[in-house]
Amino acid sequence: MLLSCGDALIDFMPVSTADGRDAYIPVVGGSCLNVAVAMARLGAPTGLMGGISTDLFGQMIADHAQRSGVDLRYATRSPHETTLAFVHFIAGEPHYVFYDDGTAAQRWSYRSGTIDFTTIDALHVGSTTLVNEPASTETLTMVDDARGSTTVSFDPNCRPNLVRDKALYAARMDSFAKRAHIVRMSDVDFDFLYGGDDHESTAAALIEDGASLVVITRGERGTLAWHRNAGRVDVATPPARVVDTVGAGDSFQGALLMALREINRIAHDALATMSADELRRVLTFAAACAAVTCSRSGADPPSRRELDAGLFEALLGDSTSSPIEPQTPEHRGI
């Protein structure tokens, strides 16, 4: 099983009413939930761990996860409120305002020994749950329990407007990055945490600290990756009709983990020895899935049945397959 631990919330997405007024509609989201949905829809056995409210919005989250095939056996239901996020777009990029104090996600706690991590192929952590205590320390304790038995994946998915003490937050994110086997972040996250764009030096330092794979996604400028065995691999962003970029990074992350599992490179010893060709194939697959998500509104990762069989043939290394291309709604005829 692939297990994603962290935020599950409600995004209020901006829309216009028939008479031209501004309005918002509630949509299930949260980076770690989106990652879980992406993996499950692509066919990997997937679970979600974290706090989910029993309120109206929490039920929306649980229903959405289960419809996508996400196992909630490791989730903790509580009467605390659901995290809410209001989304607005500036120059096409989503910006968020969060209501997260005292929520079910933030009050989640980890009990050591409750999970047999030898049965988990990979554990993914990140995003808003790591901003504040006690959830951040609870998650770090879980990572320390897990990393000897399973592959740890980390995406900070920074939300600056939630950060009260940047130095403390950056140190906390560094603690997670140094424990992870896979570190992925956007170029915007990188700039917030490290300043500038010296990706190469930071990736080298993380690999020296123990990571096998460091990935920087840069939107339309493509993806950069560094691997302890395969070296550097660059992958272009496939062309797509962009509706919005909400959930694109989460879709990439989920597809990356699912793809590594699909080619039997998800275990950390196998991950550490993968080839440059294998890495290029999984990154290209992940970029294609992210492109599909960009082609429709909100965090809506593609399902396996929506993707062309050639995507999976190329991922598995079928030499007769065509290059991976995104299957947008226009291409699928829906």
Side-chain angles (χ1 to χ4, degrees), residues 24-293:
Y24 284 89
I25 58 172
V27 178
V28 176
S31 177
C32 293
L33 173 62
N34 293 339
V35 170
V37 167
M39 296 187 296
R41 288 184 181 180
L42 290 172
T46 302
L48 178 70
M49 188 176 191
I52 300 177
S53 177
T54 54
D55 67 12
L56 169 66
F57 293 129
Q59 193 56 51
M60 287 175 60
I61 289 168
D63 290 345
H64 172 76
Q66 291 171 328
R67 281 196 303 270
S68 294
V70 177
D71 189 329
L72 296 182
R73 77 177 79 171
Y74 298 115
T76 302
R77 305 297 299 272
S78 77
H80 304 296
E81 295 178 347
T82 298
T83 301
L84 307 180
F86 286 79
V87 185
H88 65 290
F89 291 90
I90 299 175
E93 290 296 317
H95 294 255
Y96 300 84
V97 177
F98 290 91
Y99 295 85
D100 196 31
D101 288 342
T103 62
Q106 288 298 334
R107 289 174 178 262
W108 169 81
S109 62
Y110 165 70
R111 288 187 299 155
S112 184
T114 57
I115 299 178
D116 179 4
F117 286 108
T118 63
T119 66
I120 305 298
D121 296 312
L123 170 68
H124 174 73
V125 298
S127 198
T128 62
T129 315
L130 307 185
V131 174
N132 297 310
E133 298 292 0
S136 180
T137 295
E138 294 285 324
T139 307
L140 195 63
T141 300
M142 179 186 63
V143 167
D144 284 337
D145 279 358
R147 69 186 309 273
S149 302
T150 191
T151 297
V152 175
S153 162
F154 170 61
D155 169 18
N157 192 43
C158 303
R159 294 292 179 252
N161 60 335
L162 281 176
V163 176
R164 298 182 179 95
D165 184 331
K166 184 176 178 181
L168 178 61
Y169 172 76
R172 184 177 291 146
M173 294 305 98
D174 195 48
S175 296
F176 281 99
K178 287 181 177 179
R179 287 166 166 80
H181 302 99
I182 300 170
V183 179
R184 188 206 72 86
M185 67 185 80
S186 71
D187 53 347
V188 175
D189 291 338
F190 184 94
D191 183 53
F192 182 70
L193 291 175
Y194 301 102
D197 58 1
D198 185 10
H199 306 132
E200 190 100 33
S201 296
T202 302
L206 289 171
I207 288 174
E208 186 173 347
D209 285 334
S212 290
L213 176 61
V214 178
V215 180
I216 307 292
T217 50
R218 306 178 300 158
E220 64 184 13
R221 295 186 299 138
T223 298
L224 309 178
W226 292 264
H227 186 271
R228 66 170 50 254
N229 178 63
R232 174 169 166 165
V233 171
D234 298 5
V235 171
T237 297
R241 176 177 59 85
V242 177
V243 173
D244 67 46
T245 60
V246 175
D250 304 329
S251 184
F252 184 102
Q253 184 80 39
L256 172 65
L257 295 176
M258 176 271 172
L260 287 169
R261 184 180 185 274
E262 193 87 353
I263 66 168
N264 297 313
R265 288 293 187 179
I266 193 65
H268 50 75
D269 54 346
L271 173 70
T273 57
M274 71 187 301
S275 69
D277 174 67
E278 289 172 320
L279 178 56
R280 188 178 304 280
R281 284 190 271 126
V282 299
L283 293 172
T284 303
F285 178 84
C289 291
V292 176
T293 304

Side-chain angles (χ1 to χ4, degrees), residues 6-31:
D7 55 337
L9 52 82
I10 297 294
D11 286 324
F12 282 83
M13 300 293 294
V15 296
S16 294
T17 64
D19 58 1
R21 292 182 297 168
D22 293 334
Y24 284 89
I25 58 172
V27 178
V28 176
S31 177

